[in-house]
Amino acid sequence: EFEVDGQPIVVMVVSRLPQGEADGCTHVVEVVPTSADRHEERLKIDVDVGTVFGDLVAFEITPFWFKGFHLPPLPEHKEHRCTDRACLSAFLVSLVVFAWIVVYALQNGDLGELRHASDYRGNICGVDIPEARYAYWCRRVGQDAVTLHYPICVTSCPTSNETEHLCVVPQDPLRKVRLRDYPTRVVRYSPYCWPVSGK
């Protein structure tokens, strides 16, 4: 901190200049007056020979601001600009396309399908068939394997092999037979009846 003409000022070092400057200055400092009627200034100084203030750094109207006042850029400063307009344009286009997809999905989609399963006919369990909210994969006829492509909607998930359900025969989708169930369980909020491991 210094006093100039009785007015206190604060001097901050902004940058160190490379050696060999024509005017011999070594640093650029910013002079910040404490009084409201004086503006900030950038000065070049030579600390090696004791010169406190050198020539005023060339002042130009620039896009650089500090505390509401125009200030010239630092020495060797390169003004920032957009260097990849093609990628920026592609990014903006992708945002527009993404927004269109979201609006279209909200207007024409059914968010209920994210929370519900469906049977082999496309009926949404718990919506199209309100009383049957779970999807269950039947056994294959005469096998222990399940029929993944023909799930059915059930009111509750079977917990043993003592019950039966009317299931589709994969070889003849128009034919249905009653098949013995297998133990399943519900995993948290899943709308499916998951087979119990090892049973």
Side-chain angles (χ1 to χ4, degrees):
E1 296 186 3
F2 298 90
E3 283 193 6
V4 177
D5 298 330
Q7 296 290 334
I9 62 173
V10 177
V11 178
M12 298 183 297
V13 177
V14 176
S15 68
R16 181 180 178 86
L17 297 173
Q19 295 182 353
E21 287 287 300
D23 54 10
C25 293
T26 59
H27 292 76
V28 172
V29 297
E30 193 156 286
V31 180
V32 184
T34 57
S35 59
D37 58 341
R38 300 184 63 178
H39 293 179
E40 293 91 342
E41 294 179 322
R42 283 186 180 170
L43 304 171
K44 298 170 71 175
I45 65 171
D46 184 354
V47 297
D48 295 330
V49 297
T51 302
V52 178
F53 295 103
D55 297 331
L56 182 67
V57 177
F59 182 86
E60 298 175 356
I61 300 299
T62 68
F64 304 97
W65 287 76
F66 180 76
K67 290 187 178 180
F69 300 103
H70 281 292
L71 291 174
L74 297 174
E76 301 181 5
H77 176 83
K78 293 182 179 180
E79 185 175 348
H80 297 287
R81 60 186 179 85
C82 182
T83 58
D84 203 339
R85 293 183 176 88
C87 285
L88 177 61
S89 301
F91 176 70
L92 295 177
V93 170
S94 66
L95 290 181
V96 173
V97 173
F98 177 75
W100 179 83
I101 292 175
V102 171
V103 172
Y104 181 86
L106 293 176
Q107 292 177 347
N108 300 278
D110 185 359
L111 295 179
E113 294 187 10
L114 297 176
R115 305 187 303 271
H116 300 275
S118 59
D119 65 8
Y120 69 98
R121 291 181 174 178
N123 297 316
I124 301 177
C125 302
V127 177
D128 297 326
I129 310 177
E131 69 279 4
R133 54 176 298 191
Y134 298 104
Y136 170 69
W137 296 286
C138 294
R139 290 180 185 267
R140 289 181 177 271
V141 178
Q143 301 180 26
D144 289 334
V146 298
T147 307
L148 295 178
H149 298 293
Y150 294 92
I152 61 174
C153 295
V154 295
T155 55
S156 62
C157 293
T159 57
S160 68
N161 55 8
E162 297 179 357
T163 55
E164 294 180 347
H165 276 95
L166 190 63
C167 301
V168 176
V169 179
Q171 295 79 4
D172 185 5
L174 298 179
R175 178 188 169 200
K176 294 183 180 180
V177 296
R178 297 196 69 84
L179 297 175
R180 189 173 296 277
D181 296 327
Y182 56 90
T184 61
R185 63 191 179 95
V186 178
V187 180
R188 293 197 177 185
Y189 305 107
S190 173
Y192 296 95
C193 298
W194 295 98
V196 176
S197 177
K199 297 185 179 180

